[in-house]
Amino acid sequence: MDNEARLYAELEARGIAFEVAEHHAVFTVDESRDLNASLPGAHTKNLFLKDNGGQFWLVTVPGEIRVNLKSLPLTISSKRLSFGKAEDLLRLLELTPGSVTPLGAMNDSGGEVRVVIDRELAEATTVWVHPLRNTASLGLAGGDLVKALAGWGHDPQIADIPRLFETASA
């Protein structure tokens, strides 16, 4: 059974309702804007990070926000953060850039990646994430996303992720 089939089977076994929407490959939030308009609910952006102490983090936030990376360590109790390498993403979560999803935590049997979910998403009626590939979106309740992650031994930290705010130019 491939990872995606295993994902669906594990969600079903936990009694988690979900729907899958097939679409063209999307690699960035900008590329997914038109697609997102046709899928009601919250859409996500995922940051694969590593702190100065060597801890890996997967932070999932609403797609339209800009994360304040300087304030994030204080919020999630990490050391200074930088973006993780594609090789580590593949090794730990079996994901490639552009396909990052909190559902990849199912592949981290060693528990090396700490998962953080923005509170807005954890409380959303419907959250759209990639089902381990960027040619589909999987919609499920925010609470069910948290439940699935906890079932894989990745009880996520729910946090109010600090945002960068745009200022209007005069």
Side-chain angles (χ1 to χ4, degrees):
M1 174 182 309
D2 72 6
N3 278 344
E4 189 174 347
R6 183 171 62 98
L7 167 66
Y8 297 152
E10 290 188 18
L11 292 175
E12 288 171 358
R14 287 178 169 81
I16 294 175
F18 63 92
E19 65 178 293
V20 177
E22 299 289 335
H23 53 72
H24 63 280
V26 291
F27 295 91
T28 67
V29 171
D30 284 341
E31 288 178 13
S32 65
R33 249 185 249 310
D34 291 339
L35 169 68
N36 292 351
S38 68
L39 300 172
H43 297 272
T44 58
K45 173 170 35 182
N46 300 278
L47 306 175
F48 180 66
L49 305 166
K50 184 178 182 182
D51 72 21
N52 279 356
Q55 176 62 56
F56 290 96
W57 299 83
L58 178 59
V59 180
T60 301
V61 299
E64 67 280 358
I65 76 159
R66 290 184 58 212
V67 176
N68 184 333
L69 288 174
K70 288 184 179 178
S71 298
L72 185 58
L74 182 61
T75 302
I76 65 173
S77 300
S78 75
K79 295 184 168 126
R80 196 174 126 252
L81 294 159
S82 58
F83 287 96
K85 295 180 180 175
E87 309 86 71
D88 291 323
L89 179 64
L90 185 60
R91 177 177 58 84
L92 296 168
L93 301 176
E94 299 180 32
L95 298 172
T96 57
S99 299
V100 183
T101 173
L103 300 175
M106 69 176 252
N107 296 321
D108 179 27
S109 57
E112 294 182 60
V113 180
R114 291 189 184 165
V115 180
V116 180
I117 306 289
D118 185 86
R119 186 172 316 283
E120 183 180 319
L121 298 175
E123 296 172 354
T125 302
T126 304
V127 176
W128 292 94
V129 296
H130 289 310
L132 311 177
R133 60 186 168 97
N134 67 353
T135 54
S137 293
L138 184 145
L140 72 170
D144 284 341
L145 174 59
V146 171
K147 177 181 171 182
L149 291 164
W152 293 315
H154 285 80
D155 197 13
Q157 178 180 349
I158 309 301
D160 296 310
I161 302 300
R163 284 127 159 95
L164 283 177
F165 294 97
E166 305 285 331
T167 56
S169 52

